[in-house]
Amino acid sequence: MAKFEGVYVALVTPFTESYEVDYTRLHELCDWMITQGVHGLVPCGSLGEYASLTVEERAKVVETVVAAAKDRVPVVVGSGAPSTQQAVGWVRQAKEAGAAGIMALPPINYRPLENEVVAHYEALASVGLPIIAYNNPHDYKVDLTPDLLAKLSKIDNIVGVKEFSGDVRRVHEILAKTDLEVMIGVDDLAMEGPLFGATGWIAGVPNALPKEGVELFRLSREGKLNEAMELYRRLLPLFHYDASPQLVQSIKYMMELAGFPVGPTRPPRLPLSSEYYAGIKEAYDFAVRG
């Protein structure tokens, strides 16, 4: 059985209208996700606007999510940071807070050599928490290819990969070359991924539609293709927004449409155009009404 199986929601960070972190709303969000059936929570990822948080805010976000989860579901914390030393510090903080694991980017500031990528993950793994390596070659300069993942999989505590390349063929190759769990990282492969062997999904749009996300993943894992396809085709126009650089504004607006507003995004992320929001609303209405 996979260690991190099912739908893990990459949580947004709620803000007040004055851009303060709304920890009360964050606690409520965690409760809502769990009551809707999600299998895990992932704070401080890109969707959580981790780069815009102060050190104190980021630590308190992790502590709030772990406390809200109350051991009902695992909490996997994003460790992204400009240096290996800082990333290791966030892994230690997550461990002290009671997190179950880490979602770990490779070095993000420049294109590192392969031995530098390996050394980075070795340093993170030395803290002692299970690690899901995060492959996002679109936004960062490293592609964790199946061959590189085969090397990383030999490091103790690296147990899985969040696969965000957008190429579903990667799932087959990773499973063939490694013993890692594969968690789909982009929403618009949320059906294809589990059909082809992914055991988890680190999800974005299910911040707004958690029950539908859990149901889609279940149907896909069980190979119920006709039922999965019917639901997936309704959700797919909305899922495409998860693969856009404007995913945070988009998903926060979806949450407003779902009746669970979480406030604005912090600059440099600004509100989108009315035309962009109209497209999201059209896709949302199609998802919930068909």
Side-chain angles (χ1 to χ4, degrees), residues 232-288:
Y232 186 52
R233 284 177 172 165
R234 288 199 350 246
L235 294 170
L236 190 56
L238 208 56
F239 282 173
H240 288 321
Y241 287 98
D242 175 69
S244 159
Q246 288 72 45
L247 77 165
V248 187
Q249 296 99 313
S250 298
I251 290 171
K252 282 193 167 182
Y253 179 58
M254 293 174 205
M255 296 176 75
E256 184 179 328
L257 294 174
F260 199 100
V262 288
T265 53
R266 265 187 180 168
R269 290 188 180 275
L270 298 176
L272 305 175
S273 69
S274 57
E275 291 80 10
Y276 201 95
Y277 285 133
I280 296 172
K281 187 176 188 308
E282 182 179 357
Y284 180 86
D285 289 343
F286 180 71
V288 297

Side-chain angles (χ1 to χ4, degrees), residues 53-235:
L53 302 176
T54 67
V55 170
E56 294 77 16
E57 287 172 337
R58 186 168 174 178
K60 190 171 179 179
V61 164
V62 173
E63 292 160 2
T64 299
V65 173
V66 172
K70 297 178 183 175
D71 293 322
R72 291 175 290 172
V73 299
V75 176
V76 174
V77 177
S79 67
S83 72
T84 298
Q85 182 182 28
Q86 289 170 288
V88 168
W90 287 118
V91 178
R92 288 185 180 134
Q93 188 268 338
K95 185 178 183 181
E96 290 167 4
I102 293 296
M103 180 181 72
L105 285 163
I108 59 177
N109 279 356
Y110 74 110
R111 192 182 303 279
L113 300 172
E114 184 175 286
N115 68 304
E116 292 174 323
V117 174
V118 172
H120 177 80
Y121 279 107
E122 287 174 338
L124 301 184
S126 70
V127 178
L129 276 181
I131 289 176
I132 300 163
Y134 179 6
N135 183 40
N136 183 351
H138 302 292
D139 295 324
Y140 303 101
K141 297 180 184 299
V142 180
D143 187 358
L144 299 178
T145 64
D147 287 333
L148 179 50
L149 287 168
K151 296 177 182 179
L152 295 178
S153 69
K154 295 178 170 60
I155 300 171
D156 287 345
N157 293 320
I158 296 187
V159 301
V161 57
K162 176 183 176 181
E163 207 339 87
F164 196 86
S165 72
D167 184 352
V168 74
R169 295 170 296 183
R170 286 282 185 97
V171 175
H172 301 286
E173 195 173 354
I174 293 167
L175 293 174
K177 293 183 175 180
T178 80
D179 59 357
L180 298 175
E181 303 170 23
V182 177
M183 303 184 79
I184 286 298
V186 59
D187 287 0
D188 55 9
L189 286 178
M191 185 188 75
E192 293 88 346
L195 281 173
F196 296 127
T199 51
W201 169 25
I202 297 182
V205 170
N207 275 279
L209 296 173
K211 188 175 292 186
E212 290 84 348
V214 170
E215 178 68 0
L216 173 64
F217 198 79
R218 181 189 69 79
L219 291 170
S220 302
R221 283 292 307 278
E222 293 175 359
K224 296 179 178 178
L225 186 56
N226 290 337
E227 295 170 73
M229 187 77 76
E230 182 180 352
L231 178 56
Y232 186 52
R233 284 177 172 165
R234 288 199 350 246
L235 294 170

